[in-house]
């Protein structure tokens, strides 16, 4: 957590980037660009120690949209169950002729909440798994995701989830401060997102390192003239690349 905090704090070293992230985060639809930026944080972890530049808005938007769709699909069934439970109480209070029994409404709500909790445990790593593999389908490779969590250790993983949730709740409470709360919340929101995604990517890397071991690294002498390395994270790319496909650093 400490490393992730120091990493997120570096966003303040580039005020132009931070201001743009804040502006984008409060604009509906365009806030997907901020989510896309956070996926770039995931891709650059743990090799990069600096937040990536805010470039390639179109690509960031697409990545953010993928994350939003994956999260929506994960929570679709729990949301339907909780909506059914909620509507049952609304229909009951309105005296509607067709309505679920109260006990059934409570059951829908409880089942939806329980399923949302269980789904959320998997979804947290599913998003990282999808981003790391650059494959939307990997978000639903439940067997692989559970293996990664098992390698991390369920106890350690659940503690990380709880601590992260508490931090988000505390930071989110800034919005309740009179007059200045919404401004503080707007400023802190993208920073909190980067902190959470960096932390998630770091704990994910513990599980994948156990599973796959260290990735083989080609020496620079073995790379043909048509290729080059990113000086920031070491990713190999074509010689004419203007930006690193991993960390987004300008070449």
């Amino acid at each position: 957590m400490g490393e992730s905090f120091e990493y997120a704090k570096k966003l303040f070293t580039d005020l132009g980037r931070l201001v743009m992230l804040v502006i984008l985060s409060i604009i509906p639809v365009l806030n997907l660009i901020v989510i896309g930026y956070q996926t770039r944080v995931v891709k650059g972890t743990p090799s990069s120690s600096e937040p990536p530049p805010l470039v390639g808005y179109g690509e960031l938007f697409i990545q953010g949209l993928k994350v939003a769709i994956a999260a929506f699909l994960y929570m679709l069934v729990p949301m339907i169950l909780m909506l059914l439970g909620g509507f049952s109480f609304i229909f009951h209070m309105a005296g509607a002729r067709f309505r679920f029994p109260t006990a059934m409404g409570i059951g829908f709500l409880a089942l939806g909440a329980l399923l949302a909790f269980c789904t959320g445990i998997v979804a947290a790593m599913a998003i990282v798994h999808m981003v790391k593999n650059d494959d939307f389908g990997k978000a639903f490779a439940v067997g692989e995701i559970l293996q990664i969590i098992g390698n991390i250790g369920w106890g350690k993983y659940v503690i990380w989830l709880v601590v992260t949730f508490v931090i988000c709740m505390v930071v989110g409470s800034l919005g309740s401060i009179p007059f200045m709360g919404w401004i503080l919340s707007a400023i802190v929101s993208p920073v909190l997102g980067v902190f959470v995604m960096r932390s998630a990517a770091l704990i994910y890397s513990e599980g994948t390192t156990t599973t796959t071991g260290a990735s083989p690294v080609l020496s620079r002498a073995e790379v043909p003239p048509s290729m080059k390395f990113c000086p920031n994270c070491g990713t190999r790319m074509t010689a004419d690349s203007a930006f690193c496909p991993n960390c987004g650093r300008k070449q």
Side-chain angles (χ1 to χ4, degrees):
M1 289 292 182
E3 195 277 350
S4 299
F5 175 75
E6 293 298 323
Y7 179 92
K9 200 166 64 172
K10 292 177 182 178
L11 284 175
F12 291 92
T13 61
D14 186 343
L15 292 181
R17 174 182 57 192
L18 179 58
V19 169
M20 185 57 67
L21 286 171
V22 170
I23 293 173
L24 291 171
S25 68
I26 62 178
I27 302 176
V29 181
L30 291 184
N31 56 8
L32 291 175
I33 295 175
V34 179
I35 298 176
Y37 177 80
Q38 292 164 4
T39 67
R40 191 166 284 171
V41 170
V42 170
K43 285 185 177 181
T45 300
S47 56
S48 177
S49 61
E50 299 284 338
L54 184 59
V55 294
Y57 285 58
E59 179 188 349
L60 293 181
F61 180 84
I62 296 300
Q63 292 301 319
L65 183 61
K66 289 180 180 179
V67 171
I69 293 174
F72 173 78
L73 292 176
Y74 260 100
M75 291 298 166
L76 181 58
V77 174
M79 285 191 300
I80 291 174
L81 290 172
M82 287 189 284
L83 283 173
L84 287 173
F87 282 139
S88 70
F89 286 101
I90 294 174
F91 293 155
H92 181 80
M93 293 174 63
R97 178 175 297 180
F98 301 102
R99 59 179 184 267
F100 296 120
T102 302
M104 185 177 292
I106 294 174
F108 278 133
L109 283 173
L111 181 59
L114 177 61
L115 188 58
F117 175 78
C118 296
T119 302
I121 291 176
V122 177
M125 283 296 99
I127 298 300
V128 179
H129 193 51
M130 175 188 75
V131 172
K132 281 291 192 181
N133 289 277
D134 198 21
D135 183 351
F136 184 79
K138 288 293 185 179
F140 306 98
V142 178
E144 296 176 16
I145 296 164
L146 291 178
Q147 181 181 359
I148 290 169
I149 295 175
N151 291 334
I152 295 169
W154 279 96
K156 182 176 182 179
Y157 179 67
V158 170
I159 291 174
W160 171 79
L161 281 175
V162 172
V163 172
T164 302
F165 176 77
V166 171
I167 292 173
C168 290
M169 291 296 293
V170 171
V171 175
S173 66
L174 291 175
S176 62
I177 298 175
F179 305 112
M180 297 293 293
W182 70 273
I183 298 177
L184 291 174
S185 180
I187 295 173
V188 173
S189 177
V191 179
L192 176 64
V194 167
F195 165 81
V196 170
M197 295 301 273
R198 173 72 172 186
S199 179
L202 285 174
I203 198 167
Y204 172 90
S205 67
E206 294 183 24
T208 53
T209 299
T210 303
T211 303
T212 62
S215 300
V217 178
L218 293 175
S219 69
R220 296 177 186 269
E222 296 176 296
V223 179
S226 59
M227 307 296 291
K228 66 180 178 181
F229 285 99
C230 172
N232 181 54
C233 68
T235 298
R236 191 174 63 159
M237 70 195 82
T238 57
D240 59 352
S241 297
F243 297 96
C244 173
N246 180 49
C247 70
R249 181 76 67 180
K250 186 175 181 180
Q251 302 300 303

